[in-house]
Structures are given as structure tokens and as C-alpha cells.
Amino acid sequence: MWADPPISVALVEDDATTRERLTHVLAAAPGIVLVHTAVSAGQMLDWLAGNSVNVLLVDLGLPDQSGLEVIRWCRAHQPATNVMVVTLFGDEANMIGAFEAGARGYLLKDGTEDELARHVLSLHAGGSPMTPVIARQLLARLAPAAQAPAPQAVGNPPVSAREREILHALARGYTYEEVARLLAIAPSTVQSHVKNIYSKLAVHSKTEAIFEARQLGLL
Amino acid sequence: MAPWLRLLLAAALSLTGLSAVAAVERVTHAQAILTPAGGAAQTTEVTLPHRWDQSFPGQDGMASYRFDIPATKTTGPRALYLPRAGNQIEVWLDERLVHHAGQLGDARTDSAKMPIWVPLPEVAHAQGYPAARMQVRVTAQAMRWGGLSTPWIGPRDEVHGLYLEHLGSRQIGAWLGIGALLLSSLMAAGFWWSQRERLYLVMCLGSAAGALRIFDRVLEQPPLPWPWWGAVSAWALLAYLVLVGYFLLMLIDRQQLLEARWFRVLLGIDLLASAAAFVLRLPWLWTLVLASLVGVAAPLWIAMAQAAWRQRTTRALAVFATGTVHLGATGFEWLMVRLRGTDPGTTSLMPYSIALLALLMSALLVRRFARVAGEHRALLATLDARVRQREAELLRRHAELRQEYAQQAALQERQRLMRDIHDGVGVQLVGLLDLLERDALPRQVLRDQVGTALDELRMAVDALQPVHGDLTTVLATLRYRLRPRLEAAGIAIDWQVDELPPIEGLTPTTVLQIQRVLQEAFTNAMRHAQAQRLWVRAWLDSGPPERLVLSVEDDGRGFQGSDEASTHGNGLASMHARALAIGAELEIGAGPHGGTLLRLALPAQRGASAPGQDGVPSPCQP
């Protein structure tokens, strides 16, 4: 695996201390190269116009505009980039918003940054973390009441039965490994399912946005 | 057949010369032997109708009337009809008794009450009937309208027609009067019974007296012998006249006229005098009694006229009209019967007066009840409006109370949370400060302290997330938060958590308390018990009572083997206090894997067990 090219990472974070710490952690991690850091959304968008990375780390609370804008731009223009949100204490409402915008993972700024390298590698390898609260909310959103016919927006791919099983187990606090054992599938399969669910959330959000824009006469 | 029609018919028949064929003879003269009690018999020619009381006022006696029936050529059956004869009679035809009513001299019955119908025996003569002599013998009691009216003789069918006609008019008139008066008496009695209003009692008694008086007119066998029955009947008449007058005056609020002392004295005298008149056979006294009432009737009538003029209400006018007819009828009857001596019951205005009275009574009741019903409706409407107003007020007050309560609850919840955060994160940070004061600071201790403070903060934030009563997610989040630390401590978790039903009223404070209790169990396993493995279970215990049970078990040394017993003592006390605060049941003991087993059970139906947290009073039913 050492033969693999290193994973390129860019970071946008306005808090100097956090930025320094993250920079430090990433610099020490093997197989990861931090190619750019920015302190505002504008700076990062400017830089992204001419460059691309494997993993983009975005803080949501940026001074000039929301980190969500960066995520949206990235999904629209560089869909290959895995976007990871760097957030304080996992505020679920914001995180769902971030996933809808196109984020694929998140990192809590809670002293577990040591794990950051592992998270970045995992994300790049196709894994996304999911908290029980997010799993619960996704169940409510994407699979509202299994017995009811899906009243979802046009073009929204509904979650499969397997995906719903996974969400249920995650909401009950089981880890990916435990879910894999429960459902007799590989842990990597659970991860790709989760990633798939996130992308459905994004699609859902996109069609909703188009639908709403049409309603408003913008399109 | 009406009399004028009969006259017309007779005139037409006489013109055609057929009058002899179907003539009804009216006998207007008779040879009479009149024998007053204790006196000598007098033979005299009398004109019919003959009234014993006129010939012998105040005396009993016997009379025998004789008249001849001329021979006729008709051969059909014949009959005799006596409109009025009494008080006891025998009818003889050529020395043969053909009819009797009562026994002569026996005063218990009175044949004069009913018209008398006597079919005459048929005599088989081809030429017709020969001349015959008829004798009607009567015994009369003083003041009982004894005597004989004009007899009718003729073909049976025609005479029968006359008889039925008379019978009908007398009977029907009397029974209609009795019925009307009894009905109004009963109605008035009912209203008096339910409302205790004197007006109705007066009407009830007056009508009853009137009914009794009329009843006497058709009663051939009164319950008392003469003259006692005569006194009763006289009292009935007096009572009827006075009470009806009183009733009419009450309607126009002039009853004081009959409440005056002089009238009471007069009425007392009248009652005594009328009884005396019949018992002592003094007809002039009875006439005098009635005259005194006629005297009273004059001011009564004036009072009614005055009231009608001044009040001009329908009621006053109706009273005036009824009173006029009533007084007029009484006065007319008194004049005709008492002074002029006409047959009673033949020319009477009483039925009209009674009918008007009954009408007045009904109208009065209808109006009264219409008014009462109207008042009730108005009252109901008012009550309804007030109830609605009160209801609205109550609802508004309840809403205010609810709002106030919600604000209070929110405030309390906030204060509790602030205290909890301060007690958790605050205490950890203060401890950290304390540690920093020391010189040789072990890095691991510092790390632990900061880590714990972060856990506290995270839990506080998690507790504030809306969980919609979802205890499963609370539990799962706790694991998610503590996972890196548990992994770092090298502890494996056996996680078996069922999907739990939502708990109503799961407040942030409750969530925080549950988190704290579980965290304490995890921390104990990590730090003190040196456990290798944790078993976490959550399930619904169907009970009863239905409970949500959370259990954490480790394979460590347990509390007993701990070297920090005092710390654990504190921890245990605080866990029990937390469980108590949220109405949960906490058990801590030895588990099957050698370590500690903690079991926390929460009632599945919350709300009742946690007053002051979500027990908002429900709106009271108006």
C-alpha cells in the first residue's frame, strides 16, 4: 500500500488554534498530504477553482459565508472529492444540512482529533461515520413509516430494506462491526451502504431544491 | 222538531182536513182536588201548568188532576207525555194505574226532575178509541217545584218525538254543564295543588259547587231526603254564585269587595237563612236570600265595569263580559223563577254563563302558562349566555394558567439544567484547576480530568437535543460518545438493545439523569473495577407495570472489592438520588459474571409518576 499515492487534503478553518492542531496532526500522518489551508470560504473557493484534492475538510462556521456553500460548490464541480465536516459537538441539525449539501463524513472538534488521520483514511477508503441520532433522523426522513406509501419528492430514490435495517441498528447504538455481524455481511458493505444513504440524502435534497425553485419560478 | 215547524205543519194539515188523523192534544185545563197537609181538600178547576208551591207556599200536600180524553177514530198506539210532574206521581186511565214514579208521599224521590213518558194501553176497537178519563195524582213537598205541567196526548210516535226532544235538551244541557264545571274544577285543583295560588282554589270550589247544583237538576233520587237535600242544593247555589264572583274579582284585583266584613256577615246570614228556608218551609226567606245576593251583584258588576274601563286589558274585558252574563243569568233566573214563577230549567241562561266561565278559565290558564313558558325561555337564554360567558372565561383563565405553567416549567427546567451542567462540567473544571496548581502533574490524570469534563459537556448538549421520548437513541448516543474511551480502556462491549417504545414527557433533565447513572456505571467499570467486558441490555418489561429496563453489567471486581469504597459510596448515593428524582427504580448488585450488575427500570407510562415536570392541569369541565 505504500506504493499508493498519498491522499491529498485541503482544510478551511477560521479558528487559528484548531487549524494549527489539525495541520500538526495531518502533517504527522503517513499517507496524507495537506496541500492547502484557508481561513475563509472565499479563499478556499478561489483555490478550488484551479486545484482539486481527495479529501476536503470544512468548518461550517466560517466568517464570510457558510461552510455549506463550499460543500455545495464542491459537489457540483468536483464530485470526486470527499468532503468532511469539522464541527463542534455534532449538532445534528447542522450535520444533516451538511450531508444534504454533499458532505460524506464529519470530525468532532472535541479532543479526539488524533483520530483525524484515521477518519480521513477511512473516508477516502469509502467509509462514513454515522451517529445514532443521525441514523434516527434519516429513518424519519428517508423511510418514513415503512407501512405508509412513500410521499417523497420526484426522483428521490427510497432507501432499501437492507439500508433501513442498517439505519435501525445504528440508531440502537450498534457499531458497524456489530451491524455487519447481525446482518451477516462484511463491515465494508455496511460502510458503503451508509455512504449510499448519505448520497440519497443529497439527491433528495437536490430534487427538493429544484422542486422548490420551480415552485418559486426561479427555473 | 222545532215548535214553529210543528205549528206550521199543523196549520198545513188543518187546511187539508187531515188534522184528526194525527193530532197531538195539549191538555190545558183540569179538574183538581188539592189537599194540603193537615188541611181540607179543595175541589177546583185549574189551568195547567199548575204549581203546588204557588197555591200552597211552604206546605206539603197532595193533588189529583182529572181531565177527559175525547174519543178518536185513529187506531194506532197512543201515549201520554208529561214534561214535568211531581214530586211523586201516579197516572190512572179509567180507574187503571198505568204509570207511577216514586211512591206517593215518599219524599226520597223527585219525579219532577225528568220528563215523564207513559205509553197508553191499546184497546182493540176497529172504530178507534172511546172517550176516557185520565187522572194524575201527585204528592208535593214544599219548595220542591211540585205540581203538573201541560200533558200531551196523541199518537205514540209523535208524542215520543216531543218527549225525546225535551229530554235531550234538559239532559244534554245539564250534563254538558256538569262536565264543563267538573273539568274546570279538576284543572283548577291541579293548578292549586302544584302552585298553591288562592285563585285556583276559589275556582276549584266554585266550579264544584256549580256542578253539584246542576247535578241536582237531573237527580231523581238525591242522597238526602227532602228538605235536607234542598238545603244542600241551596248552599251549592250560594257557594257557586259567591265563589265565581270572587274569582272574577280576583282576576281584576278587586276581591277586597267580597272580603269586607259586612259581606262575610251577610254570607253567614244567607247560609243560615237558606237552610232555615228549606227546613222550616219558608219560601219567602229563600227568595230574600237570593234578593240579598242580587243586591250584592250590583256593586260587583260596577266594579267589573270600572276595571274594564280603566284597565282596558283583555283580561278585564273578558271578566266584565263573563261577569255580565253570569250576573245577568242569575238575576234573570231569579226574576223568572222566584218572582214570576216560570218552570225552572226551561228558560235558563246558566249554561251560557258556565260556558263563558269555562272559556275564561281556559284562556286564563293558557295565557298564564304561555307567560311562564316565555319567562322560562328567557331565563334559559340568559342562563345559557352566562354559562357560555363563564365557559369562555374559564377557558381563557385556563389558557393563561397553562401558559404561566409552561413558562414556569421551562424556567425550572432551565434552572435544573444549569445546575446540572455546573455540577458536572463545572466541578470537573474546578478539579482541573486544582490539579494544575500542583507541581508534578501526571499527564494521564490531566487527560482523564479534561476527558471527563468533555464527556459531561457532550452529555449536556446531547440531553438538550430533541429526542421525542426515544430512550433507545439516548442510550445509543451515550455509547457513541463513550466508545473511544471504552476502546482505549480495552473494554469490549456486548450490546443488546431492543427498540424501545417512546416515553411521554422525556425531558432533558430526565435524559441527563439517565445518562449520568449509566455513565457512572461505565466509568466504574473502566476506572475501578478493571473490567474486561461490559454487557449492556435494554428491553421492555411487559410487567405489569410496564417498564423500560436498562442494565449494565461488568466482569470486574465489583463494589466490594474496590479500594475506593468511599468514592463508590458517594457514587452509589448519587445514582440512587438521580433514579429517585426521575421516578425510576435502581438496583445495584453482583452480576452473574462476577462483577457489578446495575439495573435501571423506568415506568413506560410517564406523566403520572413525575408531577411538576409535565403534569399540566387539564381544563376543568364547565
Side-chain angles (χ1 to χ4, degrees), chain A residues 116-193:
Chain A
L116 177 60
R118 196 165 63 82
H119 273 121
V120 169
L121 289 170
S122 152
L123 183 64
H124 184 66
S128 284
M130 183 178 281
T131 70
V133 173
I134 289 178
R136 181 69 67 199
Q137 291 193 353
L138 291 184
L139 269 177
R141 253 163 195 261
L142 296 179
Q147 64 272 27
Q152 293 154 337
V154 246
N156 176 50
V159 291
S160 65
R162 177 43 55 91
E163 283 165 350
R164 186 156 53 234
E165 277 178 328
I166 290 170
L167 284 175
H168 267 295
L170 291 176
R172 273 152 58 207
Y174 288 95
T175 63
Y176 284 6
E177 291 74 21
E178 287 165 349
V179 173
R181 254 204 314 281
L182 277 176
L183 303 180
I185 51 178
S188 62
T189 314
V190 175
Q191 290 208 333
S192 65
H193 273 306

Side-chain angles (χ1 to χ4, degrees), chain B residues 240 322 325-326 329-330 349-358:
Chain B
Y240 171 70
T322 312
V325 172
H326 181 67
T330 312
L349 291 178
M350 286 295 262
Y352 304 103
S353 134
I354 290 167
L356 257 180
L357 208 65

